[in-house]
Structure formats: structure tokens, C-alpha cells
Amino acid sequence: GFMAVDAIARAHGFGPWRKKFQAELAEGHIGGERVILLKPQTYMNESGRAVAALMRFYKLEPADVIVVHDELDLAPGKLRVKQGGGNAGHRGLASIDGLIGKDYWRVRIGVGHPGRPSQVIRHVLEDFGPEDDGWLGPTVDAIAAAAPLLVQGEASRFMNQVSLALKPPRPKPPKPAKDTD
């Protein structure tokens, strides 16, 4: 999630990161809308504290919040966006749910499942490896490029644009030449 948020900040010329609300915060504009990016600096399972503090200060509603996070149940590089729903055991989301409710937007970025439950914690806490280079950079760049659609509430178009950026349509084969004989 932080990698995608950093890519959004770079792509859209956000101001410098500063410490506030037990988080790093950057402000800027995307598609003409004022946007505040937040990277909680609490333990992940206490992320809701930073989100709730920001919401109280700026008088935001849960529907104004978009949380970008990793998702074990999606293949690496796959993306889903939804509003509300469960947390599937994601402790950061559980913390946010407990403090602001469940009606915020979620951008779920697939990181794949390591295969065995005993490997999950290590899988989500370790840095990405060289085997992830092929999908990780292009995914966060595509998210950053499509961010204006997300800010405008166009979740389906956002997912479509990211998908097309990662897997552009195949060119159509040339039509056979007509015989002139």
C-alpha cells in the first residue's frame, strides 16, 4: 500500500511528507480535487488510530477515505476496488473498521498467498524479492496514473485502466490482402 501511495505522491507532485496524526502525511491535488495521502506509522494493527485522527481533524466521512492495502487472496498484481466489506483477517483493516466503520473504499493489491498459513506473517512483513520486480513497479505506476479516476469515484474505470496498463490489448492481426486477379 505504501509503495502505491508513494507512487501517487510522485506522479501527482504532492508536497513533502510531514509527520502528523501518528503518520506521514502529504497534501496535493489529483484531478482538481484536494487529496491527503496518509501512511500510518503506528503498528499495522493500529492503523485505524491515524486514519480516525485525520478524519476528525478534516471532518471527513468514511466514504471519503480510500485505503490502499495488500491482499493475500489475490494473485500478485491483481487489483480490486470495493466499498465496505469484511477485513478477511487483515489486522490493519480491522483496526480501521473498529474506529471509523466499514463504509470506506478499499484498493486491494494482490500479493499472492505463500501457500501455507504458517508463512503468511513472514510473507506480508518481508520486503518484496527480485521475483516480484516484473509486476510490482508496473502495478504501482498504473495505480498512480489511474488515480484521478479513483478520486472521482470511478472505481470500475480505475480498475479497467490499471488492467489495460498492465495487459494492453493485443493488436488485431492485419486483414489479408484482397486478390486483384
Side-chain angles (χ1 to χ4, degrees):
F2 282 10
M3 294 173 79
V5 169
D6 286 336
I8 291 168
R10 281 190 308 273
H12 297 279
F14 273 60
W17 292 98
R18 57 193 170 98
K19 294 188 182 305
K20 193 169 185 175
F21 309 119
Q22 294 182 299
E24 291 182 4
L25 176 143
E27 297 182 60
H29 288 84
I30 298 176
E33 294 284 331
R34 180 176 182 225
V35 173
I36 302 164
L37 300 176
L38 186 78
K39 299 189 298 185
Q41 299 300 297
T42 59
Y43 289 108
M44 188 262 303
N45 60 352
E46 296 179 358
S47 299
R49 291 188 351 213
V51 174
L54 175 120
M55 288 179 62
R56 280 190 303 273
F57 185 82
Y58 289 101
K59 297 175 178 50
L60 300 173
E61 297 296 323
D64 298 325
V65 175
I66 301 168
V67 174
V68 182
H69 67 90
D70 58 352
E71 176 63 59
L72 289 169
D73 294 332
L74 291 175
K78 294 293 180 191
L79 187 82
R80 295 289 181 268
V81 178
K82 69 176 185 173
Q83 185 177 22
N87 60 48
H90 192 295
R91 292 183 179 155
L93 295 180
S95 171
I96 295 168
D97 290 354
L99 291 170
I100 73 165
K102 296 181 178 188
D103 291 333
Y104 57 93
W105 287 91
R106 304 141 195 256
V107 176
R108 303 163 49 214
I109 304 170
V111 295
H113 197 285
R116 297 198 331 242
S118 63
Q119 297 173 325
V120 167
I121 291 174
R122 193 172 126 241
H123 181 69
V124 298
L125 294 179
E126 283 186 345
D127 290 337
F128 289 99
E131 68 278 5
D132 298 306
D133 290 345
W135 68 267
L136 187 57
T139 300
V140 297
D141 290 345
I143 289 168
L149 292 170
L150 190 59
V151 169
Q152 296 164 3
E154 304 262 355
S156 294
R157 289 185 59 210
F158 168 78
M159 286 190 295
N160 189 49
Q161 186 171 326
V162 171
S163 179
L164 287 174
L166 297 174
K167 291 184 181 176
R170 294 182 188 164
K172 293 181 182 177
K175 292 182 181 178
K178 292 183 178 182
D179 285 337
T180 56
D181 295 338

